[in-house]
Amino acid sequence: MELLDDFGRARAETPAGSARETVSTRYRSRKDDEVRDLQGVHLLIVEDEWMVAGDLARYFSNMGAIILGPAATVEQASLHTESAEAAILDVNLNGRRVFPIADELMRRGVPFVFFSGDSDIAIPEHLRHASNLRKSSGSGAVFNALFPPQSPAAASGFVPSSPDDVFSLLPKLRLAARLLLGDVEASDRLVERTLERAIRDIDQRRIGQSTEDWLNAIMRDLAKSSGARLLN
């Protein structure tokens, strides 16, 4: 990708000491003014307690998500796995485990979280990368776990240093753009503009700031200033 090649050359040509503290840091953690907009995102809810399922469905539909289900059984949930873009999974469905659904979502690269009232159920090792929340956590905690503000790499201060690292961030950037604009074509244009702006303003990147945080900050600034134009 030409943009990524340009990005790599710009990184190589910029002295480390020339970076300035000009990039906003307000996106390092989720704030009250963070846009919680899931417009058009297909969210699968697998939950056998109808009151809990209803609460989750109302919470996320109010953000614009399209709710798949709620599904109370593995069989019902399996009807929606091909359409889901994210999922909330109750581990224990009337005595049956939800893990076959989690396996299928993982195969498709769909993010999901476990949301259960049973603390004694062991999660299979290959699924332990997903958050496992107690039902007492509430809907807000589910949102934060399913759509985290930054990756573990960003939280640890790791800074990717090559175009390949930027390329690996593209799926996350596209999902973030989709959440911001809701339109697939406009979201792709937003990602492209984000990379162009990153190449242009690379000397403004704050020292120690992760690539993911930096690109997300640029993307949100562009969405606020140019989002309407990108949709047309």
Side-chain angles (χ1 to χ4, degrees):
M1 181 180 291
E2 184 178 348
L3 280 174
L4 294 178
D5 292 341
D6 291 343
F7 180 84
R9 285 195 293 271
R11 287 286 305 271
E13 294 168 0
T14 303
S18 66
R20 300 192 297 273
E21 295 283 337
T22 58
V23 178
S24 171
T25 61
R26 66 181 178 276
Y27 298 111
R28 282 188 288 176
S29 60
R30 197 175 297 280
K31 300 296 184 181
D32 290 339
D33 59 355
E34 175 98 14
V35 177
R36 294 195 165 197
D37 185 2
L38 303 181
Q39 191 67 41
V41 173
H42 290 75
L43 175 64
L44 171 60
I45 297 176
V46 184
E47 172 59 63
D48 63 356
E49 295 183 37
W50 67 269
M51 289 187 65
V52 175
D55 287 344
L56 289 170
R58 282 189 293 273
Y59 182 86
F60 285 96
S61 64
N62 285 339
M63 297 181 191
I66 297 172
I67 304 301
L68 303 178
T73 67
V74 170
E75 289 77 13
Q76 291 174 3
S78 66
L79 300 176
H80 301 293
T81 53
E82 291 298 320
S83 303
E85 296 175 286
I88 303 166
L89 308 178
D90 183 4
V91 175
N92 184 1
L93 300 173
N94 291 312
R96 293 188 62 187
R97 303 296 183 257
V98 78
F99 303 138
I101 301 301
D103 285 336
E104 176 61 18
L105 295 172
M106 186 174 69
R107 184 189 67 80
R108 294 186 55 242
V110 175
F112 60 88
V113 297
F114 293 116
F115 190 59
S116 178
D118 298 312
S119 59
D120 57 344
I121 297 178
I123 304 297
E125 185 174 354
H126 69 284
L127 296 174
R128 290 178 187 170
H129 66 278
S131 297
N132 184 14
L133 304 177
R134 301 276 73 81
K135 289 185 178 179
S136 58
S137 301
S139 300
V142 176
F143 177 92
N144 290 328
L146 194 54
F147 304 102
Q150 61 183 11
S151 67
S156 67
F158 174 74
V159 180
S161 58
S162 74
D164 289 340
D165 292 313
V166 178
F167 185 80
S168 71
L169 290 174
L170 284 178
K172 288 186 177 182
L173 290 174
R174 287 179 175 136
L175 176 58
R178 176 82 163 80
L179 295 177
L180 285 168
L181 298 183
D183 180 85
V184 174
E185 292 184 3
S187 299
D188 286 343
R189 289 193 290 270
L190 178 58
V191 171
E192 183 177 352
R193 298 282 179 83
T194 297
L195 295 176
E196 290 173 347
R197 176 72 63 83
I199 294 168
R200 190 193 74 186
D201 296 343
I202 195 166
D203 64 330
Q204 297 182 19
R205 178 174 171 177
R206 182 173 55 82
I207 296 175
Q209 185 179 31
S210 74
T211 300
E212 185 173 358
D213 279 354
W214 181 52
L215 292 175
N216 278 324
I218 293 173
M219 177 181 290
R220 290 186 178 279
D221 285 342
L222 285 171
K224 289 178 181 178
S225 62
S226 307
R229 290 195 298 274
L230 292 172
L231 287 168
N232 297 323

